[in-house]
Amino acid sequence: MFVRRTLLAHPASQEGSTVADGLLFVLSHPRDGDAAQFHDWYDTEHGPARLALPGVRHGHRYHADDGAVPAWLAWYDLDLDVLHTSGYRRLRENRSAREAAVMAALEILQRRVYVLRGDHGTPAASPPPFLLARSITIEPAREHDFDTWYTQEHIPALHRLPGWRRTRRYVLQDGDAPRFLALHELDHLDAFDTDAYRTATSTPWRTEVMRHATADERRLFTHHATFHPGGTHAAEATR
């Protein structure tokens, strides 16, 4: 079933008013030889500490399935106001010795903050096994055409494909990245081998819209771990 929901709002954290749904999207890559400490820190300290904050609803880690770097993605569904609370500031300003050491040793760290623009599909109880992240910047004069194509043609076509669970669209608020993000949740990768997928990604309307793209990023990730609220439980690794 295809369900479309527009921008959502929730009661804010204790220090704010009603705020929009947001996404904290962090790409990282450890240096060679630092992987074990990096994963232990992320899965047992860094991620769970953020889940302990009011207004942070979900947090997951994914590993690149496309062979590209940065190879690791952490993303959090949250109220955007959380990022301006004293609790979140304390996490960033009063890092543990281990966190400071691990972060200083990272080869790549990219932090992006988005606000939700639209939600299409049906959420599931479990985290999606795969994520396709499409980030695009369009010439400003063509943004309306891009949005119309995405919502009227592209997303309905994708959601007719096997295993295409959900698509959320975001607009960048902070960070160095293309302006628009579509986060597609997939149950499996079978769709990519179908004629229907090839048709959905090669229509005349898409070709015309994408002529006006000035930045285009495509990343594919597979689930690694899900953080638990409370800040004390280890993540459940699936890879």
Side-chain angles (χ1 to χ4, degrees):
M1 182 175 72
F2 178 71
V3 179
R4 180 182 177 187
R5 294 180 292 279
T6 54
L7 189 67
L8 305 173
H10 290 272
S13 59
Q14 297 175 355
E15 301 183 32
S17 57
T18 300
V19 293
D21 278 7
L23 177 74
L24 177 60
F25 186 97
V26 183
L27 294 160
S28 57
H29 198 83
R31 297 186 188 279
D32 291 343
D34 293 335
Q37 180 173 240
F38 168 69
H39 294 309
D40 185 66
W41 158 73
Y42 226 128
D43 291 345
T44 66
E45 178 182 342
H46 187 78
R50 277 136 187 84
L51 260 291
L53 296 173
V56 180
R57 295 184 291 279
H58 306 99
H60 310 279
R61 287 188 72 210
Y62 281 71
H63 183 259
D65 202 66
D66 53 15
V69 295
W72 292 92
L73 166 66
W75 60 282
Y76 307 84
D77 287 322
L78 44 70
D79 298 330
L80 284 177
D81 232 21
V82 172
L83 303 179
H84 304 287
T85 63
S86 59
Y88 183 74
R89 286 195 299 271
R90 280 194 298 270
L91 287 179
R92 303 194 77 197
E93 295 170 359
N94 302 309
R95 303 187 189 279
S96 69
R98 181 170 74 155
E99 175 156 305
V102 171
M103 294 190 69
L106 290 176
E107 183 176 336
I108 300 172
L109 180 64
Q110 299 175 3
R111 180 181 182 273
R112 306 171 183 181
V113 178
Y114 297 91
V115 62
L116 184 68
R117 185 170 190 166
D119 189 351
H120 314 260
T122 304
S126 59
F130 298 95
L131 282 181
L132 175 64
R134 293 288 278 116
S135 303
I136 298 173
T137 298
I138 294 288
E139 295 170 5
R142 298 287 181 164
E143 287 185 357
H144 177 73
D145 296 339
F146 171 73
D147 189 63
T148 302
W149 161 71
Y150 224 103
T151 57
Q152 293 188 9
E153 179 187 84
H154 194 54
I155 290 177
L158 293 176
H159 281 249
R160 287 193 289 268
L161 299 174
W164 214 283
R165 178 190 297 183
R166 186 184 188 189
T167 297
R168 281 178 289 178
R169 299 184 63 215
Y170 296 90
V171 180
L172 186 71
Q173 297 291 292
D174 185 41
D176 184 10
R179 173 167 163 76
F180 300 107
L181 169 68
L183 199 62
H184 304 281
E185 302 182 6
L186 311 175
D187 289 326
H188 48 74
L189 303 181
D190 296 354
F192 295 138
D193 294 324
T194 64
D195 289 339
Y197 175 75
R198 288 185 282 272
T199 298
T201 55
S202 60
T203 68
W205 195 358
R206 180 191 186 279
T207 299
E208 172 59 25
V209 167
M210 293 302 292
R211 287 199 309 110
H212 303 282
T214 59
D216 187 1
E217 177 183 285
R218 182 185 190 276
R219 296 299 312 274
L220 182 63
F221 298 93
T222 186
H223 183 254
H224 165 75
T226 291
F227 303 127
H228 293 278
T232 57
H233 302 291
E236 289 179 352
T238 61
R239 183 184 177 94

